[in-house]
Amino acid sequence: MMKLIQVLWPSFLVAGIAEVVFFTVIAPQELYLFGQPVYFSPIATYSIGFFGFWLVCAGSSLMTLFFQRTSAEINQSASD
């Protein structure tokens, strides 16, 4: 449970900051997806954007946690 918190909590905070910065610069009505304008409401666009940022940030935190393993932990899981 602690590793899950170590991944999700920092990524949640950074995703919130990224969304504020992104949507301060870009209006939701000006977004295009595959060459087509996005017709979602601004709240839906903000929500989708937040979860997208959170997913990317969680992936980054998960990779950091993965690469922090010691050689003993790696070798132990390989022998099991």
Side-chain angles (χ1 to χ4, degrees):
M1 183 67 167
M2 187 63 162
K3 291 198 187 251
L4 186 65
I5 293 169
Q6 289 174 345
V7 168
L8 293 180
W9 180 241
S11 61
F12 176 82
L13 295 176
V14 174
I17 293 168
E19 181 171 5
V20 167
V21 170
F22 182 81
F23 285 115
T24 298
V25 176
I26 297 173
Q29 297 83 9
E30 297 176 1
L31 291 176
Y32 283 82
L33 183 64
F34 302 119
Q36 300 295 323
V38 176
Y39 292 113
F40 298 126
S41 70
I43 295 296
T45 306
Y46 294 141
S47 300
I48 293 167
F50 173 76
F51 285 116
F53 284 129
W54 195 7
L55 183 65
V56 169
C57 294
S60 173
S61 295
L62 189 60
M63 284 181 57
T64 300
L65 197 63
F66 175 76
F67 287 123
Q68 283 184 335
R69 296 186 305 166
T70 64
S71 60
E73 290 173 335
I74 293 170
N75 290 332
Q76 179 185 6
S77 63
S79 65
D80 290 340

